[in-house]
Amino acid sequence: MSGFEAIILNPAVVAVAASAGVGFGAFWANPKRATNRAVLSGSLHVACWLASLQLAIRSPEGLLWLKVSCSIGAVLPLHILIIQQALTARLGENVWAWLRRNWPWVLVSAGLAIVPFTDVFIPAHSTPEYRLRGWGYYAYILVGTCLYGLLLLDGLKTVRRSSGVQRLELQLWLLGGCIIAVTVLGLMALTEATHNPLFIRLQPVMVLLFYAATAFAITTHRVFDARQIVLIGLEKSLLVAAVAAFAYVVDVLLKRIVPVPFDFVATTAIALWF
């Protein structure tokens, strides 16, 4: 496989294209609607996060890009809040009035975005051989999960009070987005707990599954069932998690009996069969 083909078939590159494509598709459908504009900006936000994550994995300056990707990802809960408020007509037009209502979210998001560039996140003396993580790294995951939890709880209440198209959009963009985001944070925690880069590489796959389901829902109006899409997303998330756990166990066992790089090839083959 050529270098160009490897780039094109990379899940992260496909996920970047999918997120941007779905965002522009939603915007093109109705550019004047606040929700469509919010979905476009949110999708571009996700595309930027994915691009920086890909650079973190492949670039020689991986640590810097990891911090950049975490900083970009820290603001995603605020962006999902904006999409929720656009869907429920709570966004408003006055920026200062919006800031007065949502200043705690803005403050926490700004703090989370700054944390990755401090030593409490990743100490300066951390190396690829001796990976160290400060308390800020774990606080980042915990606070991010809590923010998505608050969005989910508020979203569930809003969904119960909604009906029709608004209900479906809330289920897809808000609940589905939060579930995928929490899954990504969980994979980030698993990467640190196991020191296995496999989990971090699964993050773009999760985003790709979400946007693939979203594109399917948008383009097939007659079978548009956001609740089913969310359930499918959960099912696929569990499947990916099970395969990742199985691959990790197999990799640990094969490293003891099979030389490099055959252990990686064997692990990949067995995991795909599983």
Side-chain angles (χ1 to χ4, degrees):
M1 182 183 295
S2 68
F4 178 75
E5 289 175 334
I7 292 174
I8 293 299
L9 296 177
N10 190 304
V13 176
V14 177
V16 168
S19 58
V22 170
F24 277 111
F27 176 75
W28 186 264
N30 191 351
K32 295 182 179 181
R33 188 175 179 229
T35 297
N36 297 55
R37 297 196 298 268
V39 167
L40 170 62
S41 61
S43 296
L44 293 178
H45 190 155
V46 171
C48 290
W49 169 73
L50 285 169
S52 59
L53 179 65
Q54 180 67 3
L55 288 171
I57 295 173
R58 295 182 175 272
S59 169
E61 299 293 332
L63 181 58
L64 173 62
W65 284 108
L66 174 63
K67 294 178 179 180
V68 170
S69 68
C70 289
S71 181
I72 294 173
V75 195
L76 277 172
L78 182 62
H79 220 139
I80 292 179
L81 175 69
I82 293 173
I83 294 175
Q84 178 194 20
Q85 292 179 348
L87 283 167
T88 54
R90 290 185 291 165
L91 192 58
E93 298 296 335
N94 191 320
V95 176
W96 296 111
W98 182 87
L99 286 173
R100 283 195 298 271
R101 290 198 315 270
N102 300 281
W103 67 266
W105 283 88
V106 176
L107 191 63
V108 172
S109 297
L112 281 182
I114 293 172
V115 165
F117 297 102
T118 66
D119 278 351
V120 300
F121 190 78
I122 298 178
H125 52 281
S126 176
T127 65
E129 293 77 20
Y130 300 97
R131 295 175 51 181
L132 300 174
R133 299 292 183 264
W135 62 266
Y137 185 90
Y138 304 102
Y140 174 95
I141 296 175
L142 178 61
V143 174
T145 303
C146 290
L147 290 178
Y148 288 115
L150 289 174
L151 286 170
L152 272 172
L153 289 175
D154 188 49
L156 287 171
K157 295 177 183 177
T158 307
V159 165
R160 293 193 187 100
R161 297 193 301 265
S162 304
S163 60
V165 175
Q166 184 187 67
R167 182 185 180 94
L168 295 175
E169 288 182 326
L170 281 167
Q171 289 174 328
L172 180 63
W173 293 113
L174 179 61
L175 303 186
C178 286
I179 290 169
I180 293 298
V182 171
T183 303
V184 166
L185 286 174
L187 290 172
M188 183 177 172
L190 283 172
T191 301
E192 184 54 32
T194 62
H195 299 289
N196 191 329
L198 174 65
F199 296 107
I200 207 76
R201 296 176 187 275
L202 288 176
Q203 291 181 348
V205 177
M206 300 307 303
V207 176
L208 181 58
L209 285 173
F210 171 71
Y211 274 102
T214 302
F216 175 78
I218 289 174
T219 55
T220 53
H221 299 283
R222 286 181 298 176
V223 292
F224 180 76
D225 185 350
R227 181 180 301 173
Q228 183 180 2
I229 296 300
V230 173
L231 291 176
I232 290 173
L234 279 173
E235 179 186 343
K236 298 304 180 184
S237 300
L238 291 173
L239 175 61
V240 171
V243 173
F246 179 76
Y248 175 73
V249 173
V250 171
D251 185 57
V252 171
L253 294 175
L254 288 181
K255 280 182 178 178
R256 302 175 182 273
I257 57 176
V258 180
V260 178
F262 297 105
D263 61 330
F264 174 75
V265 176
T267 298
T268 302
I270 295 173
L272 288 174
W273 168 82
F274 175 75

